[in-house]
Amino acid sequence: MRSRLSHILMLLGAILAFAPIVAVDFVLDAYVRYREENVSQQYVDELSSYINARTGDAVTALRGVISASPSLCTPTFVANAQGAIERSVNLKQVLVENLDGVQYCDAYGRDVDYSPLSDPLPVPSLTETISVVRLGEMEGPALKVTQTFGQTRRVSVFVPVLGQSQDAMASVLPEAAVLRVSLTSGVPIVAIGDTSRLDQRSDAAELVAAQGYAGQFPIKVEYAAPFALLRGGYADLDVTFTILACLGSALMLLVILQFVRKTRVPAFNLERAIGRSEIKPYYQPVINLRTGALMGCEVLCRWEKPNGEVVPPGAFIEYAEATGLAIPMTLSLMQQVRHDLGDLCLAMPDLKVSINLFEGHFRDGGVVEDVQAIFGGSNISYRQLVFEITERRPLANNVVTTSVISGLHALGARLAMDDAGTGHSNLAYLATLGVDVIKIDRIFVDMIKPETSQVPVLDGLISMAKDLDCEIVAEGVETEAQAHYLRARGVVQAQGYIFAPALRVGAFRELAMALKGVDPQADGGSSAKVASAA
């Protein structure tokens, strides 16, 4: 078998040695696309920033005229309006009119000839609105920035969207390039080239595209150019990339030869294992330290291979996270949990089932819908679910993370902070996340030795959890001394080898039914052997 594999690898190395031309095309295409996308985005960002600055100046000028004028349409107001126009290179006119568009006055004492091209749009965090208009004989559209004054009047300033003509802008763009500046409502302001291509997703691979927004203003800038035409400008790099590809192929051949000699290829196909449901849930009991009652369980996982080998999670969890397989793996585990524990959760409505989530779940955002699809209408109610996140990898403080946490809470599920104390979380961070349960990591529980009277770090974590009004679960409890210490400090829930390791579903169900007679809410003794440590 190994001999056949060696021959395959050597053949692969030989093929790579004769593939530099193909490699050049792919590499150069990727390089051109990457570079031109950066250039395109830079152009869009500069144009967006330019429009944002012009519009922002118009807002500032409008506010200045209004604040400096006790009344509208007075000589003072007109003088202020003229002064604002003289001080600005962009401002073209100041107008006072009523809500029906009847003009009262302007900066120069004449009717302002303009026609609206769009409805007014609000600007986030500002009281002004903006709209697109055609102003007199001006080439190109203008922005009308408006502030309501009192109940019946409004004051507006007019500023060109761009500082040059559309033809001048088109002359500096690459051949067949497309540019569109529009309101976010879809009303076009500037259109150069066949802008319909920007809306055709089928052309996405053929174009190098970029888009941006003019700061807080509802103005969108879109740009695209044909990739094939841009690619034609890099013909001189073909020779260089061909040489580099040949050297790379030769190096790859040497590496493969060395690899064949010294190592063997491991069989590691996690994706296939997930598809075959080889990643099995194991259930570690969470025990009441006061009564010995079963409070719930944490869902852990093992890879049970067809040959009987059981692979611990430490061998594949990081790989699953890095490759994105953690998400389908979690889906598979949740589906198995629903099947394994449905009847048990129905019979024990206070039983809590803790499921680990990964940082990727809070970037994907679809986990809430997955939970609803799997557990909605099942025997496991949402309030019996606890979703654990690890403190070792803090979550990003963004809209998607907040949406996922809010969605899980809205269902009735709870959020637990796993590995508490091992990261850099503080009270403010935990409070922001809305954590309901703090799980103290085993490294702090291990600090409890026989005859230990005080563990300051552990005591601080317990106090922090109490300050946050969170439930506490101690992990990795292995000795009676640890159980007694934790119980004396008000920690009620614990899990660890002193009670039971992570169990297959059959063994866990047997344990749960054996402890079912123990009241989880009682404060008295216990008849269960598993509570002897408590």
Side-chain angles (χ1 to χ4, degrees), residues 150-396:
Q151 298 295 321
T152 61
R153 290 179 290 176
R154 57 191 182 193
V155 185
S156 304
V157 295
F158 297 83
V159 59
V161 178
L162 303 171
Q164 55 184 322
S165 68
Q166 188 164 308
D167 291 340
M169 292 189 66
S171 65
V172 300
L173 295 179
E175 182 183 356
V178 178
L179 175 67
R180 179 169 65 193
V181 181
S182 61
L183 295 180
T184 53
S185 62
V187 175
I189 303 174
V190 174
I192 298 176
D194 182 11
T195 57
S196 64
R197 300 193 67 183
L198 294 170
D199 302 317
Q200 297 173 3
R201 294 190 176 184
S202 59
D203 287 350
E206 301 176 8
L207 299 175
V208 174
Q211 68 176 24
Y213 293 88
Q216 62 188 329
F217 298 102
I219 300 174
K220 184 178 182 180
V221 179
E222 299 169 279
Y223 169 83
F227 175 75
L229 292 178
L230 298 175
R231 172 69 167 78
Y234 290 81
D236 57 329
L237 290 180
D238 278 345
V239 174
T240 301
F241 273 87
T242 299
I243 294 173
L244 292 176
C246 290
L247 293 175
S249 295
L251 180 62
M252 179 65 71
L253 180 59
L254 292 175
V255 170
I256 290 177
L257 290 175
Q258 291 295 323
F259 183 78
V260 170
R261 289 181 189 176
K262 298 181 179 180
T263 66
R264 61 185 181 88
V265 178
F268 194 82
N269 194 333
L270 184 59
E271 185 174 6
R272 181 179 298 176
I274 294 172
R276 293 177 174 177
S277 297
E278 294 176 10
I279 309 300
K280 298 292 185 182
Y282 278 53
Y283 304 93
Q284 184 168 38
V286 176
I287 301 297
N288 188 315
L289 288 176
R290 294 175 181 171
T291 68
L294 179 66
M295 304 290 290
C297 63
E298 178 181 356
V299 180
L300 304 174
C301 64
R302 303 289 187 268
W303 182 354
E304 296 184 354
K305 293 190 174 183
N307 62 5
E309 179 185 0
V310 178
V311 181
F316 59 87
I317 288 295
E318 289 190 5
Y319 175 81
E321 289 191 75
T323 57
L325 291 175
I327 292 178
M329 183 177 70
T330 304
L331 286 176
S332 174
L333 288 172
M334 288 195 295
Q335 290 166 346
Q336 294 179 74
V337 168
R338 178 188 62 188
H339 178 268
D340 289 347
L341 302 185
D343 293 342
L344 189 62
C345 287
L346 186 63
M348 303 177 66
D350 292 325
L351 191 72
K352 304 298 182 184
V353 181
S354 295
I355 300 172
N356 288 281
L357 297 182
F358 301 94
E359 187 267 342
H361 287 102
F362 295 86
R363 285 184 284 107
D364 175 80
V367 65
V368 178
E369 294 180 359
D370 293 334
V371 171
Q372 289 179 292
I374 294 172
F375 293 106
S378 73
N379 290 338
I380 303 177
S381 66
Y382 293 132
R383 69 176 186 82
Q384 291 179 284
L385 296 174
V386 180
F387 292 97
E388 298 188 11
I389 57 177
T390 178
E391 192 188 2
R392 299 180 193 273
R393 297 185 180 179
L395 302 179

Side-chain angles (χ1 to χ4, degrees), residues 297-502:
C297 63
E298 178 181 356
V299 180
L300 304 174
C301 64
R302 303 289 187 268
W303 182 354
E304 296 184 354
K305 293 190 174 183
N307 62 5
E309 179 185 0
V310 178
V311 181
F316 59 87
I317 288 295
E318 289 190 5
Y319 175 81
E321 289 191 75
T323 57
L325 291 175
I327 292 178
M329 183 177 70
T330 304
L331 286 176
S332 174
L333 288 172
M334 288 195 295
Q335 290 166 346
Q336 294 179 74
V337 168
R338 178 188 62 188
H339 178 268
D340 289 347
L341 302 185
D343 293 342
L344 189 62
C345 287
L346 186 63
M348 303 177 66
D350 292 325
L351 191 72
K352 304 298 182 184
V353 181
S354 295
I355 300 172
N356 288 281
L357 297 182
F358 301 94
E359 187 267 342
H361 287 102
F362 295 86
R363 285 184 284 107
D364 175 80
V367 65
V368 178
E369 294 180 359
D370 293 334
V371 171
Q372 289 179 292
I374 294 172
F375 293 106
S378 73
N379 290 338
I380 303 177
S381 66
Y382 293 132
R383 69 176 186 82
Q384 291 179 284
L385 296 174
V386 180
F387 292 97
E388 298 188 11
I389 57 177
T390 178
E391 192 188 2
R392 299 180 193 273
R393 297 185 180 179
L395 302 179
N397 186 15
N398 56 35
V399 175
V400 178
T401 298
T402 303
S403 174
V404 170
I405 294 174
S406 299
L408 293 174
H409 276 147
L411 292 177
R414 297 193 299 168
L415 191 70
M417 176 62 73
D418 198 11
D419 308 317
T422 61
H424 306 284
S425 299
N426 52 36
L427 282 170
Y429 174 76
L430 295 176
T432 301
L433 288 180
V435 171
D436 306 293
V437 182
I438 298 292
K439 302 196 71 173
I440 298 176
D441 192 80
R442 66 177 304 151
I443 64 173
F444 302 106
V445 175
D446 285 343
M447 295 178 181
I448 304 172
K449 306 299 180 184
E451 308 304 326
T452 295
S453 61
Q454 191 174 17
V455 181
V457 177
L458 176 59
D459 295 344
L461 284 173
I462 295 172
S463 297
M464 179 188 72
K466 291 180 178 179
D467 290 340
L468 289 170
D469 195 25
C470 292
E471 291 186 14
I472 306 172
V473 178
E475 297 182 294
V477 179
E478 298 183 351
T479 67
E480 292 188 15
Q482 293 170 347
H484 285 299
Y485 185 96
L486 292 165
R487 185 176 63 180
R489 280 153 182 78
V491 178
V492 177
Q493 302 179 61
Q495 62 188 87
Y497 273 60
I498 189 176
F499 308 116

Side-chain angles (χ1 to χ4, degrees), residues 53-64:
R54 292 173 72 91
T55 312
D57 289 345
V59 171
T60 301
L62 174 61
R63 292 182 174 183

